[in-house]
Amino acid sequence: MKNLKTAIIDIGSNTIRLVLYSYNKNEGLREFGNIKTVARLRTYLLPNGEMSEEGIQLLADTLKSFRLILADYDVTDVKAAATAAVRQAANNEEIIRRMQEETGITIDILSEEEEAYYGFVAVAHSMDTPSAVTIDIGGGSTEITLFINKKLQKTISFPFGTVSLKQMFIKGTIINNDERIKLRDYVTEQFSSLPWIKDVAFPIIGIGGSARNIAQVHQQKTNYPLSGVHEYTIMQDDLGTLRDYLTQFSFEQLKQLNGLSSDRADTIVPALEVFLALLSVVGTDTFQVSKKGLREGLIIGRVLQGNSKAYNKYNVFEESARQLAHAYGRTEEEVHTLAELTGQFYRECCNLQLFHSNEADLELLIKGAKVYAIGEYIELDSSSQHTFYLISNQSLSGISHINRVKLALLASYKNREYFERFAQPFDSWMSKEELKKLRDFGAVLKFVYALNMTKRNVVKQLIIKNNGDDLLIEVMTSERANAEMAQVEKQKKHIERVFKKNITIVFNVEGWNC
């Protein structure tokens, strides 16, 4: 599949959302439009199980408005999927028929298993967590999956969500303490009926709007210095503290709370109770958030049908980094050269015991090499600032928030002063030893980057030798490299400070010295 321009219409129990996507090999999957309508279709289910005429008409009016938006964007490829509210309606066949006749949109009702599966697909292809329990709590259902080493093991869908739990347990606008305890006991009992999640101790990954909103509120409350909620981690005690914090507010105050969508003001605490109950049953204190969910799972599935190699769930960051480098002017050959030279330099240093060999360090260094100084694409003189901002403020797939900061510090390295300035908001995240290592590695990347100054990829090999008390670096090239010679002489002071040694650099072209 070379190019794709498509729309996903997600008809949930709480919201109906139209999301527009484009896909091509170089840029990957990009969202270019997102329109949400809060419909709460679950509340239109009558005692006899049917959806009322009012609810059906609300759905039709929403889809008609989406039709006009699709025409404005000139998108004709549309996938409409309905979940719990329509699935649970006794008259769902009539609803599907009428939507086809009245709006021209064909709706697929996802089974409980399909809904859970597509959530797993999104998580597996956008996060680096190898094994986890996922939870996607919607308005009328809650999907749970277990995956181990990125392979789906079990799925289940419970017929309750934030809207239906509110109907079951909450008499007023927002939940009180007695209602909260009863709700917590109920969902704990439901989750405890699943022997395959009890005490597995894997992280919980929250999917969907409730999880994203909880992450946003927590970030606002703690003055979190990074943007984005994808792969954001909240510990169990912090979730409990956040729950206690939110129960202090009135409904009107919750509607005004930073980070919280006003339409979730009455359901955010029930959602928190569900997450806390699941953490307890699973036996973990780690709650992670995925920005990607059902809609992304559906579109990823479509892309993979056209190109089975478009995504690699076992190396998520690789594709994310490739797309980022491409977006800021890097060729694949240049990326390969920088990664290869960085690996060579690190291994040579380890052989001389200048660094202690560590695969995790090498992996991080090579990641940094692939996106080093991408800010040059915007402006050469302020490349360092732009690079740090671009990396630290993007929700990169397959990398945790702390590793995103480490990557940004490495890839933006200019000198010690800039490094310390960028690192200052994150001092509490890392020890002094970790920060020193990152600073040293940043200096290495700055030196290696100079070896490909002209972007001709002429440097092929690096050999580092002891030269008495100092170091000799032999640089093997496929042709003359005068610009690289001049640049590395200028930049070698950074690695001389790292190793506390004088360094001599010799360039060899096809066997003769430059």
Side-chain angles (χ1 to χ4, degrees):
M1 182 177 291
K2 293 183 178 180
N3 294 285
L4 175 71
K5 190 177 180 183
T6 193
I8 299 291
I9 298 177
D10 179 4
I11 303 168
S13 300
N14 188 44
T15 61
I16 306 171
R17 195 183 289 262
L18 168 66
V19 186
L20 305 170
Y21 295 98
S22 64
Y23 173 84
N24 65 55
K25 179 181 180 297
N26 288 327
E27 296 181 1
L29 187 65
R30 292 189 176 274
E31 179 183 309
F32 65 93
N34 193 317
I35 298 93
K36 180 180 81 168
T37 295
V38 179
R40 296 208 168 175
L41 292 178
R42 179 66 179 73
T43 62
Y44 293 97
L45 293 181
L46 301 171
N48 66 359
E50 293 187 348
M51 184 175 291
S52 69
E53 178 60 28
E54 185 181 0
I56 296 173
Q57 196 56 55
L58 174 59
L59 175 58
D61 291 344
T62 302
L63 294 183
K64 288 175 184 176
S65 70
F66 286 175
R67 262 294 182 204
L68 297 175
I69 294 170
L70 289 167
D72 290 343
Y73 278 102
D74 192 27
V75 175
T76 57
D77 181 36
V78 180
K79 166 74 172 177
T83 54
V86 176
R87 182 170 64 229
Q88 294 167 4
N91 57 339
N92 55 32
E93 290 185 5
E94 178 193 353
I95 295 171
I96 300 304
R97 177 186 57 79
R98 284 185 55 180
M99 293 307 105
Q100 177 67 53
E101 293 175 353
E102 295 178 25
T103 72
I105 294 175
T106 301
I107 298 173
D108 291 332
I109 300 178
L110 297 182
S111 68
E112 297 168 340
E113 293 77 14
E114 287 174 322
E115 188 174 357
Y117 169 74
Y118 284 117
F120 156 74
V121 168
V123 167
H125 290 86
S126 68
M127 296 182 69
D128 63 351
T129 306
S131 303
V133 173
T134 72
I135 176 169
D136 185 354
I137 181 166
S141 69
T142 296
E143 282 65 49
I144 303 285
T145 78
L146 169 68
F147 67 86
I148 300 175
N149 295 326
K150 294 290 183 85
K151 292 182 179 178
L152 187 62
Q153 306 293 318
K154 296 280 188 178
T155 69
I156 192 170
S157 179
F158 289 100
F160 59 79
T162 55
V163 177
S164 55
L165 286 171
K166 182 185 177 185
Q167 292 173 323
M168 292 167 63
F169 290 98
I170 305 171
K171 294 180 180 179
T173 306
I174 57 175
I175 196 168
N176 62 40
N177 190 56
D178 289 340
E179 293 168 339
R180 187 173 57 78
I181 293 171
K182 290 177 182 178
L183 184 152
R184 176 75 171 271
D185 289 344
Y186 170 76
V187 294
T188 299
E189 182 181 1
Q190 298 298 308
F191 294 151
S192 297
S193 68
L194 305 176
W196 45 271
I197 65 169
K198 289 190 70 174
D199 298 321
V200 294
F202 291 144
I204 305 295
I205 297 178
I207 303 170
S210 292
R212 292 194 301 270
N213 263 229
I214 285 168
Q216 289 164 358
V217 172
H218 189 257
Q219 289 179 343
Q220 290 282 340
K221 183 176 181 294
T222 57
N223 294 315
Y224 194 67
L226 280 188
S227 65
V229 299
H230 190 59
E231 299 211 40
Y232 184 63
T233 298
I234 314 175
M235 305 310 290
Q236 184 177 21
D237 288 347
D238 293 328
L239 275 180
T241 300
L242 182 62
R243 183 269 319 279
D244 295 341
Y245 170 73
L246 293 176
T247 55
Q248 301 174 23
F249 295 106
S250 68
F251 177 63
E252 290 302 320
Q253 288 173 324
L254 285 170
K255 287 172 67 176
Q256 302 300 319
L257 192 65
N258 288 337
L260 180 61
S261 296
S262 59
D263 57 279
R264 296 187 187 274
D266 56 344
T267 61
I268 196 68
V269 173
L272 265 167
E273 288 297 343
V274 173
F275 295 144
L276 286 164
L278 185 60
L279 283 163
S280 179
V281 171
V282 170
T284 182
D285 60 0
T286 303
F287 182 79
Q288 297 176 328
V289 177
S290 173
K291 184 182 178 183
K292 315 296 184 182
L294 173 65
R295 294 180 293 275
E296 287 77 15
L298 287 167
I299 193 68
I300 288 171
R302 298 194 78 177
V303 171
L304 287 171
Q305 285 179 354
N307 178 9
S308 61
K309 297 182 180 179
Y311 293 92
N312 180 358
K313 64 183 178 182
Y314 296 104
N315 194 352
V316 176
F317 179 78
E318 185 69 24
E319 180 64 13
S320 186
R322 189 189 67 77
Q323 292 167 9
L324 182 64
H326 173 80
Y328 294 100
R330 289 281 159 81
T331 66
E332 291 193 20
E333 187 180 6
E334 183 184 358
V335 169
H336 175 77
T337 295
L338 292 172
E340 183 66 26
L341 293 177
T342 298
Q344 288 183 26
F345 190 96
Y346 179 79
R347 293 185 185 95
E348 289 287 301
C349 289
C350 291
N351 289 339
L352 296 176
Q353 298 184 333
L354 299 170
F355 291 135
H356 295 293
S357 181
N358 183 300
E359 281 301 311
D361 286 346
L362 175 57
E363 182 180 338
L364 183 61
L365 255 175
I366 290 177
K367 285 178 178 178
K370 292 179 178 181
V371 292
Y372 183 82
I374 58 172
E376 285 184 357
Y377 183 84
I378 298 174
E379 187 176 32
L380 184 62
D381 288 346
S382 55
S383 169
S384 182
Q385 297 96 313
H386 287 305
T387 300
F388 185 83
Y389 182 87
L390 288 170
I391 295 174
S392 64
N393 285 281
Q394 292 197 53
S395 293
L396 300 175
S397 294
I399 188 168
S400 66
H401 281 212
I402 187 169
N403 282 336
R404 177 155 41 114
V405 172
K406 291 179 179 180
L407 183 69
L409 288 170
L410 283 177
S412 65
Y413 187 86
K414 181 177 182 179
N415 54 41
R416 293 188 178 195
E417 179 186 352
Y418 274 82
F419 180 89
E420 290 171 3
R421 185 191 310 171
F422 295 151
Q424 191 276 325
F426 309 98
D427 276 350
S428 63
W429 290 28
M430 292 166 276
S431 66
K432 289 183 179 179
E433 291 76 16
E434 286 178 300
L435 286 168
K436 181 184 182 305
K437 181 191 288 187
L438 288 173
R439 190 182 67 201
D440 290 348
F441 285 173
V444 167
L445 290 181
K446 185 174 178 64
F447 178 80
V448 170
Y449 190 70
L451 289 166
N452 199 35
M453 186 66 184
T454 61
K455 305 186 187 303
R456 294 177 298 146
N457 311 299
V458 297
V459 175
K460 302 303 180 183
Q461 187 179 6
L462 298 176
I463 300 173
I464 306 178
K465 300 177 181 178
N466 281 317
N467 186 24
D469 293 332
D470 300 323
L471 295 175
L472 171 67
I473 300 178
E474 294 184 10
V475 182
M476 310 300 181
T477 68
S478 59
E479 56 184 279
R480 295 186 68 90
N482 290 46
E484 281 76 12
M485 289 172 60
Q487 190 65 16
V488 295
E489 282 295 331
K490 181 179 176 182
Q491 302 300 338
K492 73 176 183 179
K493 63 184 179 183
H494 295 285
I495 55 173
E496 286 180 329
R497 290 172 185 155
V498 171
F499 301 130
K500 296 179 173 57
K501 293 175 180 287
N502 292 320
I503 293 175
T504 301
I505 303 170
V506 176
F507 277 70
N508 292 322
V509 181
E510 297 180 349
W512 57 276
N513 290 0
C514 292

